[in-house]
Amino acid sequence: MERIKFYISLLLARLIALIIKLIGRSGGTSFVGLFTLKFNPNFLNYCSKYITGKKFSVTGTNGKTTTAGLIAQILEANGKKVIHNAQGANMLTGIANVFAKTVVPSKRFDNCVLESDEAYLSKLYDFMTVDYLIVTNLFRDQLDRYGELDTTAKKIQSAIDKNKDLTLILNADDPLVANLGKDNKRIYYGFENIEFANTRTISNAPAEMFNCVCGNPLEYSKRFYAQQGHYYCTCGYHRPNCDYIGSAKIFDDYIEIQVKDKDKTTNYTVDIIGLYNAYNVLAAITTALETGFSQEEIQEALKTYKAMFGRAEKTEINGHKAIIQLIKNPAGASEVLKTVDLSSNILIAINDNFADGRDVSWLWDAEFELLKDTQKTIITSGIRAQDMALRLKYAGIPTDKIKIVPDLFQAINEISSNKNLNEKITILPSYTALLQIKNR
């Protein structure tokens, strides 16, 4: 009976997807999954039978979409058939959506790579037993949804507790991440050295402070960004030793990473930008090496990697070269702002819908002061265009270089209307503004 209901679920899902397409509407990245789970709450449980190899899950505040995309790229470039929620819809409905539209009764897949929202990871594990969990970082993000950081860490830990055989691949440089899963097998990755080439690196953005279990504040011998670095306490507690030790050189257009695994050192180059992405690349390389891929196989896959939509994505708008970078919290936004070309035309689009987080006070903690030497007018757009403009004013940007255009499509048209196609565009949207851009 369960099998028959599962097959009916697949049939109805395809039918709904077809109807949506025929009527010319966008079903988003979750509508089909929402219907499927309403009709068959155990749908994902049955989907596990269609994955013959390892199942990977990725969670954390920032970098989930890019890290999962890199892992999927390495698997697919090496001949694996992979199910992956590539559009970044990472709640249960989004994950159900990709399975409902991909699974065929007569076909099996080698792997799945599932990006999961931190708050939904435990629910995912109610239906699926995965082999690996990669945790990227934990930053303050949408306090109205997640609460404080220790609350988010507890949600992830509650998911881990459901599977004692789960192997964890953890960012050792993040003190909250490093302490997860003490009863599980843990593989640690982290950076030993980071070098910048022609990139602004000085930051005055506030960093999260953590106390050791003994109660004393953690100290740092190296701090790379936010709370990530080499931390220790006078009581003897310190950052765990890494199984995969990274060194990175960050260029304006690409990243070079060296990874030491035991006595072996391998080198990689990838065409994405920013220190935050260096961590994502290191997480993906660690996962690939740990699961048996060679340096040559990984590097070949990285050569053809294209940034996921809105994650340092390079595109073209009305003939202008453009880069779109999602911003959603202080730590991530501050790192993105370091990479912005100040000679480009800049558009910042901020919404406060549920998926963005209703509380936009994070704008005052992100270091928009890094834009004060912009050469052109910055356009602010979205529901909170006025708030963003005010933040830029207090960041030291002259008011005559700030323009408010609440309608996002009008703002995009305006920023790309210049007939000089050599002028580049930078767009920094919040999550739902990013989706609007995608569906325009």
Side-chain angles (χ1 to χ4, degrees), residues 210-219 232-235:
F210 293 100
N211 285 347
C212 178
V213 290
C214 73
N216 291 322
L218 289 176
E219 299 181 40
Y232 65 93
C233 180
T234 53
C235 74

Side-chain angles (χ1 to χ4, degrees), residues 310-413:
R311 277 71 175 186
E313 178 200 15
K314 296 174 184 177
T315 187
E316 190 173 285
I317 300 176
N318 293 336
H320 295 266
K321 289 183 179 179
I323 185 166
I324 305 173
Q325 300 210 66
L326 172 71
I327 57 173
K328 62 173 187 169
N329 56 46
S334 295
E335 288 303 307
V336 165
L337 290 165
K338 290 178 185 177
T339 70
V340 171
D341 181 352
L342 297 179
S343 68
S344 66
N345 293 284
I346 302 169
L347 166 61
I348 307 175
I350 304 297
N351 288 340
D352 63 353
N353 295 312
F354 175 76
D356 304 291
R358 302 287 188 186
D359 182 0
V360 295
S361 62
W362 65 269
L363 295 173
W364 295 89
D365 292 326
E367 197 173 5
F368 286 98
E369 285 74 10
L370 290 166
L371 301 180
K372 62 183 175 60
D373 294 325
T374 181
Q375 296 174 24
K376 297 183 175 69
T377 297
I378 298 177
I379 294 177
T380 65
S381 188
I383 298 169
R384 303 305 286 264
Q386 297 277 358
D387 300 77
M388 188 66 249
L390 181 64
R391 175 66 184 94
L392 293 178
K393 175 184 175 182
Y394 279 91
I397 298 163
T399 54
D400 61 357
K401 282 191 174 183
I402 304 169
K403 184 173 183 179
I404 300 171
V405 183
D407 182 87
L408 180 55
F409 301 124
Q410 182 182 338
I412 292 173
N413 288 335

Side-chain angles (χ1 to χ4, degrees), residues 44-102:
L44 285 172
N45 186 43
Y46 209 87
C47 286
S48 292
K49 303 177 189 298
Y50 287 83
I51 310 298
T52 60
K54 300 296 185 184
K55 302 181 188 74
F56 301 86
S57 53
V58 183
T59 198
T61 307
N62 290 347
K64 297 185 290 292
T65 301
T66 300
T67 300
L70 286 161
I71 294 169
Q73 171 71 10
I74 293 167
L75 291 167
E76 290 174 338
N78 287 283
K80 303 296 183 182
K81 296 176 182 177
V82 181
I83 290 182
H84 168 219
N85 52 333
Q87 298 301 315
N90 55 32
M91 297 182 186
L92 215 56
T93 52
I95 293 170
N97 199 86
V98 72
F99 274 98
K101 295 169 71 173
T102 307

Side-chain angles (χ1 to χ4, degrees), residues 54-55 57 125 128-133 157 159-169 181-187 290:
K54 300 296 185 184
K55 302 181 188 74
S57 53
Y125 286 4
M128 274 192 179
T129 300
V130 305
D131 300 286
Y132 292 91
L133 171 63
Q157 184 61 54
I160 294 169
D161 290 340
K162 293 180 178 181
N163 183 1
K164 297 299 181 185
D165 295 325
L166 181 67
T167 297
L168 305 178
I169 296 179
K182 294 179 180 178
D183 295 328
N184 292 68
K185 179 181 178 181
R186 298 189 285 187
I187 305 296
E290 183 65 21

Side-chain angles (χ1 to χ4, degrees), residues 6 155 181 202 274-275 278 287 322 371-372 431:
F6 176 75
K155 288 178 179 178
I202 299 172
L275 173 55
T287 303
L371 301 180
K372 62 183 175 60
Y431 183 69

